Amino acid sequence: ACGGQDAERKARQLEQAFRDSLAAAGLPAGLSLTIGAAEIPADVTDVSEAVRLADRRMYAHKLERNA
């Protein structure tokens, strides 16, 4: 578990590692990886809502990256 800023930093590191791996393997640069992160309060019992939130944030980041 980690806080929101730490999760975002880790997600960006994973995305960069993915891009580096593609380049090292000589694979097409058109492939990409997008990660969504969401802070979930300890009292949340509906996992599906947490997944929906992470999914929305993932797509928001993807739109920002592709803008």
Side-chain angles (χ1 to χ4, degrees):
C2 57
Q5 289 181 340
D6 195 32
E8 287 295 325
R9 182 182 55 78
K10 288 178 181 184
R12 301 301 79 83
Q13 288 174 338
L14 285 170
E15 290 171 348
Q16 184 61 50
F18 180 80
R19 285 190 296 272
D20 293 346
S21 295
L22 288 177
L27 295 173
L31 297 174
S32 65
L33 172 73
T34 304
I35 299 170
E39 286 187 78
I40 304 167
D43 60 347
V44 167
T45 58
D46 183 8
V47 175
S48 61
E49 180 56 33
V51 171
R52 282 191 291 274
L53 176 59
D55 194 50
R56 284 194 303 267
R57 290 184 179 173
M58 177 190 65
Y59 282 105
H61 174 69
K62 191 174 190 173
L63 287 173
E64 286 175 17
R65 186 185 65 209
N66 294 331

